[in-house]
Amino acid sequence: MSALRAFSSNIAKNAVRQAPLRFAPAAATIGATRAYSTAKAKTLKERLAEIIPEKQAEVKAFRKEYGNKILGEVSVDQAYGGMRGIKGLVWEGSVLDAEEGIRFRGLTIPDCQKVLPAAQGGSEPLPESLFWLLVTGEVPTAEEVKGLSAEWAARAQIPEFVEELIDRCPKTLHPMSQFSLAINALQHESQFAKAYNEGIHKSKYWEPTFEDTMDLIAKLPNVAARIYRNVYKDGKLPAIEADKDYSYNFSKLLGFDSNQDFVELMRLYLTIHSDHEGGNVSAHTTHLVGSALSDPYLSFAAGLNGLAGPLHGLANQEVLRWTLKLKETIGIDASEEQIKKYLWDTLNGGQVVPGFGHAVLRKTDPRYTAQREFALKHLPDDPLFNLVSKLYHIIPGVLTEHGKTKNPWPNVDAHSGVLLQYYGLTEQDYYTVLFGVSRALGVTSQLIWDRALGMPLERPKSYSTAYLKKMFGAN
Ligand code: CMX
C-alpha cells in the first residue's frame, strides 16, 4: 500500500514524533509517494538506493525540458563583489530565503523541532534525524534514527596514527587547524579513493561516497573531543556508548554528559548548524573540491578551512570574545549609551561587529531565534544571556545608522557562545570545531547527491580586469 506523504503544517502540528509517520516536505524534490510497510526498518543506504534512480530520472526529465531556461545575468559588480546573488549552484538539502531563513528539505527549524524524532525524554531534534532528512528528503521514523545512531557509534573509532597525530599537535595550534589536519589524515581510510584507484564505474560513485560520509561523521566526535581534551584538559577520553545517540556520545567525550540540558543543547546545535544552502564558504568549498572527485575527507577538510575564517564560522568565537571584552570594559550592566559608544568604537576602528550581518539573510536568523528560545527556556536569568538580549535590541539600530551593512540583524553566531559558556564550555577558540562537526552533516549529504547525480568538475569562467575593460570598451 502506498502512503501519501504530502507535508502540511496541519500534519506537522499533530505529528507524534516517536511514531513511524512519514511526511514529504512541500519543497522536497524526491517522489511524493512511498511504499509504507511495517517490515523491518531500512537502513539509510537501503532507502537511498531506492530513491536515487527516481531522483536521477526526475533531474534528467527536468533538464531535458527546462535545461535551456535562464536563471539570471551576471554584472561586472557581481564578479568583483563576491558573486553575491549569482544563481549557479544546485543544492538539494536546504534553500535559504532572505526573509524567512533556512528550510531543510522544505522544513523550517520550528517544523524540524516538531516532526523530527527526539531522544527519549528530550525535546530537541536528533541530528541523526536531520541527516536522514537531508539525504532522503523524508522524515525518518524513531526506529530508523535509532539504527543510524547505532551505525555511527559502531563506526566511531579512529585509527591509532590519527590519535597520535592529534596528540602531537602543540596546544597552541588552533583547534580548527588540528581538526582539519586530522580529517586530512583520516583520508587514509577513504573507500572512495580506494574504489577509484581500482577503477570503479562512475554510476557507482555514490556508494563509496556514502560509506566515507558515514565513517567521517561517525568519527568526528572522537577527533573533535580528542582535540578538546588535549588542548584544555588532561588528554584522556572515555569510550563511546554503542546504544546512545550521537550528541550524547559527543557530550560524553567532551566531558559534559552529566548535564542533560547540555546534551539537549548539543542536539539542537548540531541540527541547526548543519546546512545553509550551497553558496556559503564551507558548503561551496566542500562541493567544489568534491567535484574534482577528491574523496569526502579531502573535500570536507577543505570546507573546514573556510569555516575557520572570521567572516564565516569563526565568527562564533569572535562574538564571545567581543562580548566578554565589552563586559570587561564597560561592565555587564552597561547602559544603552555606553553600549552604543562601544559599538561605534568598534565600527570606527574599521572592524565588523561579529555575529551581525549576512550575505543572503535580511532578517534575524531563525538559527539565532532557536538558540534564544533555548536560552529563554533553560537560562532566562543568566547575566551574559541578558547582555546578549540587550545587544539584540541595540546593535541593529546602530548598524542601520552606520549605513553600510545590508542586514543589521543577528546571525547564528551571535548566540551560540553564551549558551556554551553557561554550561561550562568556556574555551571559545574551540567553538568553530563544534560548528564543523555539525556542518559535516549538510555538506557531506550533498556530496552523496553530487556523485549520484553525476555532477561534473566545477569550473566557472574568470576574466582579468584588462580583459573586462576591453570587453566593454573602457579606458
Ligand atoms: N559590522 C560592521 N560592518 C558590517 C557588518 C557588521 N556586522 N556586516 C557587514 N558590514 C559591512 C561590510 O564589511 C561591508 O563594508 P565595506 O563596504 O566597507 O566592505 C558593508 O557592510 C556591506 O556588507 P554586506 O553586503 O552587508 O555584507 P557581506 O555580504 O559583504 O558580508 C558578512 C556578510 C557576514 C561577512 C558580514 O555581514 C560580516 O562581516 N559580519 C560579521 C561577521 C559574521 O558575523 N560572520 C558570520 C556570518 C554567518 C556565518 O557564515 O557563520
Side-chain angles (χ1 to χ4, degrees):
M1 196 175 86
S2 164
L4 188 64
R5 298 181 300 125
F7 175 83
S8 77
S9 56
N10 193 25
I11 294 174
K13 254 183 254 147
N14 299 325
V16 182
R17 300 198 347 171
Q18 299 296 335
L21 296 176
R22 299 272 173 206
F23 312 107
T29 46
I30 291 170
T33 57
R34 174 175 173 192
Y36 177 80
S37 93
T38 49
K40 187 178 163 289
K42 290 200 166 76
T43 64
L44 180 56
K45 191 174 182 184
E46 286 165 347
R47 182 63 193 131
L48 193 56
E50 293 173 341
I51 293 169
I52 283 174
E54 294 169 20
K55 182 76 178 175
Q56 286 170 334
E58 181 195 335
V59 172
K60 194 173 170 197
F62 175 63
R63 288 186 64 182
K64 192 165 175 222
E65 195 171 346
Y66 296 93
N68 60 0
K69 296 284 176 204
I70 304 300
L71 282 173
E73 290 181 338
V74 179
S75 68
V76 171
D77 265 349
Q78 282 176 304
Y80 281 99
M83 298 193 281
R84 293 293 180 286
I86 295 177
K87 302 173 187 84
L89 287 169
V90 177
W91 196 262
E92 303 293 353
S94 63
V95 177
L96 179 61
D97 179 84
E99 303 289 315
E100 183 194 51
I102 197 69
R103 277 183 185 258
F104 304 115
R105 291 285 191 167
L107 300 185
T108 63
I109 288 171
D111 289 338
C112 288
Q113 287 172 310
K114 278 187 201 124
V115 303
L116 291 180
Q120 202 122 37
S123 64
E124 299 299 344
L126 288 165
E128 290 90 325
S129 63
L130 194 268
F131 183 69
W132 188 292
L133 174 73
L134 290 176
V135 172
T136 65
E138 296 167 355
V139 174
T141 64
E143 201 187 342
E144 285 165 338
V145 172
K146 209 162 174 218
L148 195 50
S149 299
E151 211 176 330
W152 284 354
R155 294 175 184 238
Q157 210 177 342
I158 58 174
E160 226 175 274
F161 88 93
V162 179
E163 290 182 353
E164 282 165 16
L165 189 78
I166 299 170
D167 295 349
R168 292 182 68 145
C169 287
K171 289 184 181 192
T172 45
L173 183 62
H174 194 280
M176 280 302 279
S177 305
Q178 297 193 34
F179 197 21
S180 169
L181 199 70
I183 303 303
N184 273 302
L186 277 180
Q187 192 267 342
H188 186 258
E189 312 299 300
S190 173
Q191 295 193 37
F192 181 88
K194 187 164 176 280
Y196 191 84
N197 282 340
E198 288 165 0
I200 186 177
H201 191 277
K202 56 167 76 168
S203 64
K204 294 204 173 347
Y205 282 171
W206 77 267
E207 287 191 46
T209 302
F210 176 84
E211 294 299 337
D212 278 359
T213 289
M214 292 285 280
D215 282 337
L216 168 61
I217 293 171
K219 293 175 194 318
L220 291 177
N222 263 322
V223 170
R226 193 170 196 94
I227 295 167
Y228 180 74
R229 296 267 189 169
N230 279 353
V231 175
Y232 306 109
K233 308 285 172 188
D234 63 2
K236 296 195 179 74
L237 277 107
I240 288 250
E241 290 182 45
D243 59 345
K244 289 284 183 1
D245 68 89
Y246 189 73
S247 310
Y248 173 87
N249 272 324
F250 189 24
S251 304
K252 180 177 177 187
L253 293 177
L254 290 168
F256 291 86
D257 52 307
S258 58
N259 190 331
Q260 263 314 301
D261 289 348
F262 179 87
V263 178
E264 275 289 275
L265 173 65
M266 254 322 97
R267 291 173 183 138
L268 176 69
Y269 185 103
L270 296 180
T271 295
I272 64 177
H273 286 75
S274 59
D275 207 30
H276 218 227
E277 72 169 35
N280 68 77
V281 172
S282 53
H284 186 195
T285 307
T286 306
H287 168 79
L288 168 69
V289 174
S291 84
L293 296 186
S294 304
D295 60 62
Y297 298 95
L298 296 176
S299 307
F300 175 60
L304 276 183
N305 290 342
L307 194 71
L311 295 188
H312 191 20
L314 202 80
N316 72 74
Q317 151 186 332
E318 298 300 301
V319 168
L320 198 71
R321 201 189 300 287
W322 184 86
T323 311
L324 292 177
K325 192 153 175 242
L326 178 149
K327 184 182 138 193
E328 216 173 85
T329 315
I330 55 176
I332 199 148
D333 297 318
S335 69
E336 190 169 330
E337 283 322 301
Q338 285 173 302
I339 292 174
K340 280 186 175 166
K341 183 179 174 311
Y342 191 84
L343 278 163
W344 280 110
D345 287 347
T346 300
L347 293 168
N348 292 334
Q351 291 159 32
V352 295
V353 178
F356 284 73
H358 199 271
V360 179
L361 275 169
R362 293 295 174 258
K363 287 272 165 66
T364 296
D365 190 335
R367 300 172 298 175
Y368 176 94
T369 309
Q371 294 181 94
R372 178 171 163 75
E373 277 163 13
F374 187 96
L376 286 167
K377 184 170 163 194
H378 295 279
L379 44 135
D381 301 322
D382 178 56
L384 202 58
F385 167 56
N386 288 328
L387 177 60
V388 166
S389 291
K390 214 191 235 182
L391 294 172
Y392 181 33
H393 291 110
I394 298 172
I395 293 176
V398 172
L399 284 177
T400 304
E401 198 182 329
H402 183 237
K404 276 194 161 185
T405 173
K406 295 188 188 68
N407 175 36
W409 301 103
N411 60 56
V412 65
D413 298 322
H415 215 303
S416 39
V418 64
L419 299 174
L420 296 166
Q421 285 275 310
Y422 178 78
Y423 292 110
L425 208 165
T426 52
E427 301 86 357
Q428 64 250 32
D429 281 12
Y430 186 74
Y431 291 174
T432 314
V433 174
L434 299 177
F435 197 157
V437 172
S438 173
R439 188 43 61 100
L441 305 180
V443 299
T444 60
S445 56
Q446 180 60 36
L447 278 180
I448 298 167
W449 279 109
D450 287 347
R451 299 294 75 81
L453 295 175
M455 294 283 194
L457 180 81
E458 201 167 276
R459 204 332 185 161
K461 179 79 188 99
S462 66
Y463 293 108
S464 64
T465 297
Y467 195 102
L468 284 172
K469 284 175 78 176
K470 203 165 150 210
M471 199 186 265
F472 297 106
N475 295 320

